[in-house]
Amino acid sequence: MRTAGSTPVPKQDRSRATRRRLLEAAVACLAERGWAGSTVGVVAERAGVSRGAAQHHFPTREDLFTAAVEYVAEERSAALRTLLSPARMIVGPARTYAVLDALVGLFTGPLFRAALQLWVAAAYEEPLRERVVALEARVGRDVHRMAVELLGADEARPGVRETVQGFLDMARGLGLANLLTDDGARRSRVVGQWTALVDDALRPAPYEH
Amino acid sequence: MRTAGSTPVPKQDRSRATRRRLLEAAVACLAERGWAGSTVGVVAERAGVSRGAAQHHFPTREDLFTAAVEYVAEERSAALRTLLSPARMIVGPARTYAVLDALVGLFTGPLFRAALQLWVAAAYEEPLRERVVALEARVGRDVHRMAVELLGADEARPGVRETVQGFLDMARGLGLANLLTDDGARRSRVVGQWTALVDDALRPAPYEH
């Protein structure tokens, strides 16, 4: 946004800002219109960028939306990192609840909706599949590692790794259940009960002390 | 399949068989090609039915795939019913494992893939949304009721209802994780561990006896 008399914005910064606008528009577009309704032209218009400029940054539709998935993944990681600090100051079941509730929150927003549309399109679009598989494996590992850290879980104990994995699968399922209707009330009750189960499973049994 | 000399097949039966072939082809088509690649023409060709006959049964694309979702739902219920009998003869954690493993199995086959494609398309296709929301609510209730029955769970006890719901959300998430790659090995370990947690949660605590 340059106005007359303001300090000139360097060309490189303008280019970076345009790129980011395109990626954000691509994510919003995917979340709202699915893969079938998401083209470079639609995204360029939404971002207020010329089609030529959009194609300069992303030559093909696939380039644009693959980069957008990368962007979604980075956004999700950043959101998780901001969760780290406050949760670490709490101990016991209250910490487990805070962490699990926040993790589930990551799977119910527009970023998850966009990733879901791309994920599902990758099931029938061959060139997309390979890239999404690689990306999701990486994102999955990151989210798992962060969940373990946030919960202060000891993966050396049997069953702890699978407990955390199963909870993340549940979070993904809750995200899916929230796609068409607001599932918030039911979700709160489920997360409340599952906090108790996960917290028990993560805590060493008395004889282990 | 009528051959010369065989008993003539009544017209009504032929019509029903054609309808079923179309519904099965529609489900397979959705699972493999997604909503964008699923049209009445593609399904008619796959079913070996003329386009005119297909349109006689299902005037619009929406009619065809909504009916196919109904069909998916009925197939899923039938599969669950066949699971009922053997699981009821077992008691204890072995029964819990058999039931949970079978429930997860329902969310990893082609029927789930088809339902998922339709579900995700309903997020951006308005006329589809309303029908899919109503259908999924009904199917969700049926699956929950059957899970409670299969597990022999007592929903009057606090937390039991949410334990079962959460497990079904986990099963849905596991189905999603299996969409692009074979996630079977990891899934087995997760289901094994969560069987122990769910089985504990469903069993009355000692002092409740």
Side-chain angles (χ1 to χ4, degrees), chain A residues 176-194:
Chain A
L176 195 51
N178 200 57
L179 185 67
L180 302 182
T181 50
D182 176 7
D183 190 41
R186 186 189 73 93
R187 187 168 61 246
S188 288
R189 290 192 298 270
V190 169
V191 173
Q193 165 65 5
W194 277 54

Side-chain angles (χ1 to χ4, degrees), chain B residues 26 28 54 63 67 83 99 110 127 137 151 172 174 180 184 192-193 199 201 209:
Chain B
D63 292 332
L83 294 173
V99 172
L151 291 163
R172 208 182 290 126
L174 286 168
L180 302 183
Q193 166 64 4
D199 195 62
H209 282 301

Side-chain angles (χ1 to χ4, degrees), chain A residues 32-34 117 119-120 123-124 129 159 162-163 165-166 169-170 172-174 177 180 186 190 193-194 197, chain B residues 32-34 117 119-120 123-124 129 159 162-163 165-167 169-170 172-174 177 180 186 190 193-194 201:
Chain A
E32 285 170 24
R33 309 172 63 149
Q117 291 291 347
W119 200 341
V120 164
Y124 58 83
R129 176 194 284 260
E162 290 75 18
T163 298
Q165 283 184 339
D169 287 308
M170 195 186 89
R172 208 181 292 126
L174 286 168
L180 302 182
R186 186 189 73 93
V190 169
Q193 165 65 5
W194 277 54
L197 302 187
Chain B
E32 286 169 24
R33 308 172 64 148
Q117 291 292 348
W119 200 341
V120 164
Y124 57 83
R129 177 194 284 261
E162 290 75 19
T163 299
Q165 284 185 338
F167 185 82
D169 287 308
M170 197 183 91
R172 208 182 290 126
L174 286 168
L180 302 183
R186 187 189 74 92
V190 169
Q193 166 64 4
W194 276 93

Side-chain angles (χ1 to χ4, degrees), chain B residues 36-54:
Chain B
S38 295
T39 62
V40 177
V42 167
V43 171
E45 201 187 320
R46 183 172 193 136
V49 169
S50 75
R51 211 192 150 83

